[in-house]
Amino acid sequence: MAGRFDPLTPTAVRGGRTAVPPGSGLPAGAGARAREWVPAGPVDLGLTLGPLRRGPADPTFRTTADGSVWKASRTPEGPATLRVALRQHTVHAEAWGPGAAWLLDGLPALLGSGDDPAAFVPRHRLLHDSHRRRPGLRLTRTGLVLESLIPTVLEQKVTSDEAYRAWRRLVRQYGEPAPGPQDLYVMPDARTWALIPSWDWHRAGVDAKRSAAIVRSARVANRLEEAAAMELPQAVARLETVPGIGPWTSAETLQRSNGAADAVTTGDLHLPGIIGYALAGNRDADDADMLELLAPYAGQRHRAARLVLLAGRTPPRRTPKMPKTDIGRL
């Protein structure tokens, strides 16, 4: 049974798990604002903040041996770095930079204070087991739309490795060093994204369709950021007014920016087959089949899909992996 719920499988990693080493989480040093917060229930930092990490070498995200999670963000008040650690039942946070107060104010939401895991009622044995094994899973809410939208656009129709490589290169080239003691980077501001020349998109391996979607999004960034305060249907409609932003991208974005428990991802190459196989033995399931299987979890369909991914029960591979390409070498 243990292998069926192995949290280190690739599918489980896609479900948003990031390994956070056990540690003391002692204060990092001077120059930081600090806050403590006691959550109402258990919080697993790796499961809750894991979806914000874009690959193992994400320049905006890091875990350290002392049990801390570090995240650099561009807030409405400026760039900032947040460090979060859990000691016993108390969350200890520190933040650096002009946006430090904004990040600390949003700490409870970031760790799922607005999430209601009790609203999820498992109706499949696999989901019951996966839910029971992960009491600390909370759905994060960053309140930052562009921060999740841009790397999600980079992930459209390419392998994860290609998207992560593009994100690393563009953030390091056009972003700025993050405040604080870690060697992190803050992603570029909206104006900078809009001004990246075509040859640098090409060198980063980003085709014209994805780069155009990012440029269009950056030009209306303020309007898109308003979606963080909207209900899910209105937020989806706001994002999808931008050409190149469809249901897959809007769902993947709002899961993070809005903590949207019902933002189920459609249009995915693998997810319907994974959910169909895990819940009904149907590896050939399409979006319609997946939505039918998730219908009993209305209001919590994203959580249900994450729990399936974290369970790691996937159909045996019968086709080659998606080929990797690098248009920057052409």
Side-chain angles (χ1 to χ4, degrees):
M1 291 288 290
R4 290 166 50 192
F5 299 97
D6 181 4
L8 297 179
T9 63
T11 304
V13 170
R14 185 185 168 185
R17 182 192 183 278
T18 290
V20 178
S24 60
L26 295 176
R33 292 174 177 258
R35 177 179 181 178
E36 292 184 354
W37 176 65
V38 180
V43 174
D44 184 313
L45 294 182
L47 286 174
T48 302
L49 300 179
L52 305 181
R53 185 176 204 165
R54 305 294 181 154
D58 184 347
T60 72
F61 190 106
R62 180 170 300 165
T63 61
T64 49
D66 65 353
S68 299
V69 177
W70 300 73
K71 181 72 177 75
S73 296
R74 184 172 295 281
T75 78
E77 297 178 3
T81 299
L82 178 70
R83 172 184 178 265
V84 182
L86 190 62
R87 298 204 298 271
Q88 296 181 340
H89 302 294
T90 301
V91 174
H92 298 261
E94 296 173 297
W96 294 259
W102 192 94
L103 287 181
L104 291 176
D105 287 344
L107 179 68
L110 186 72
L111 296 180
S113 66
D115 183 29
D116 182 16
F120 180 76
V121 180
R123 299 179 185 273
H124 295 82
R125 181 175 179 180
L126 178 136
L127 284 173
H128 179 274
D129 291 343
S130 186
H131 185 53
R132 175 179 57 81
R133 294 166 67 95
R134 298 171 177 86
L137 171 63
R138 297 292 182 271
L139 301 183
T140 187
R141 182 188 182 279
T142 67
L144 299 170
V145 174
L146 214 64
E147 178 179 276
S148 292
L149 177 64
I150 289 176
T152 299
V153 172
L154 292 175
E155 293 171 7
Q156 291 177 350
K157 299 181 188 282
V158 297
T159 66
S160 295
D161 286 346
E162 293 171 85
Y164 296 157
R165 183 174 65 242
W167 174 247
R168 290 194 301 269
R169 177 167 184 150
L170 292 168
V171 169
R172 288 188 176 276
Q173 183 173 355
Y174 287 100
E176 60 187 274
Q182 289 290 322
D183 180 25
L184 295 174
Y185 278 75
V186 177
M187 78 168 197
D189 60 21
R191 176 176 171 78
T192 302
W193 283 115
L195 294 177
I196 294 176
S198 60
W199 53 86
D200 275 340
W201 288 112
H202 185 82
R203 288 170 182 157
V206 182
D207 59 79
K209 184 176 181 180
R210 287 181 291 152
S211 63
I214 291 173
V215 170
R216 285 191 289 262
S217 299
R219 288 173 177 166
V220 293
N222 290 338
R223 295 284 289 163
L224 295 183
E225 293 293 350
E226 293 173 357
M230 296 178 179
E231 295 297 320
L232 181 59
Q234 291 73 31
V236 168
R238 177 63 61 88
L239 265 61
E240 293 183 10
T241 58
V242 179
I245 308 302
W248 185 90
T249 304
S250 65
E252 291 282 321
T253 299
L254 296 172
Q255 289 162 7
R256 297 164 171 83
S257 64
N258 292 36
D262 200 45
V264 61
T265 303
T266 57
D268 191 87
L269 180 62
H270 302 293
L271 187 61
I274 292 171
I275 291 179
Y277 180 80
L279 300 185
N282 178 13
R283 64 179 298 158
D284 297 314
D286 57 15
D287 277 342
D289 297 323
M290 176 182 70
L291 292 175
E292 183 176 354
L293 287 168
L294 294 177
Y297 304 104
Q300 293 282 316
R301 292 179 298 173
H302 167 51
R303 188 191 306 277
R306 275 199 70 187
L307 288 169
V308 169
L309 291 170
L310 289 166
R313 183 187 292 181
T314 58
R317 184 178 297 278
R318 64 183 181 189
T319 58
K321 291 183 178 181
M322 184 177 180
K324 296 180 181 181
T325 58
D326 183 359
I327 67 171
R329 296 183 179 182
L330 298 179

